[in-house]
Amino acid sequence: MTHSTAQTISEVGLSRRVSIPLFVLLVFGALPALLFAPIGVGISVLALVAVIGAAFAFSRVKIIASDTELSARCMGIFHVSFAWDEILSVQEGPETGVLEGAGYRILPGGKVGLLVGGPSVEVRDARKTYLLSVSDSQQTVQQIRRHLSDARP
């Protein structure tokens, strides 16, 4: 009996240059509710903003290669996976940032992104092109290609 092995190829989080100012803006945006609304409403709005801010502050994109597939997960919620034989191409993608957003994104040209900003890789299958945030795009592309060649006869 063989067990599938999984290897983390890349794991990257939202840059602190973005997450901290975003969290501060969210908190300042909630202050009017805290100051001018009834106390219960103000505290509820502040708690909601804290939860949303924490979700973005701890956003991560994790890419895992197993014996059977390549998978990527963002924020622990959004997930895409590709069987090795479905992948048509892998290449370095563009640097992403605030304009592209964070999380699961529908991008121009019909691309789908799992993003937290910074370097990315493009993985294309027969259906779509996916843009995935990574810590090092060149190294990640090399690792994915190595797994691709190992998985294909």
Side-chain angles (χ1 to χ4, degrees), residues 9 63 65 70 84 87 89-90 121-123 132 134 139-150:
I9 291 181
I63 301 173
L70 178 72
W84 290 113
I87 297 174
S89 68
V90 177
V121 296
E122 283 188 6
V123 179
L132 310 172
V134 296
Q139 179 185 7
T140 303
V141 167
Q142 289 173 355
Q143 288 186 23
I144 293 172
R145 286 181 178 160
R146 185 173 33 99
H147 282 279
L148 264 171
S149 66
D150 291 347

Side-chain angles (χ1 to χ4, degrees), residues 52-90:
I52 292 169
F56 274 103
F58 298 109
S59 295
R60 305 195 74 62
V61 173
K62 185 174 186 177
I63 301 173
I64 297 174
S66 73
D67 294 339
T68 58
E69 69 180 6
L70 178 72
S71 65
R73 185 172 295 280
C74 181
M75 299 173 134
I77 301 169
F78 307 109
H79 178 262
V80 295
S81 61
F82 316 88
W84 290 113
D85 60 354
E86 292 177 342
I87 297 174
L88 301 176
S89 68
V90 177

Side-chain angles (χ1 to χ4, degrees), residues 19-31 45-46 49-50 52-54 56:
S19 63
I20 291 172
L22 177 64
F23 187 75
V24 169
L25 285 172
L26 285 170
V27 169
F28 277 120
L31 281 180
V45 169
L46 192 59
V49 165
I52 292 169
F56 274 103

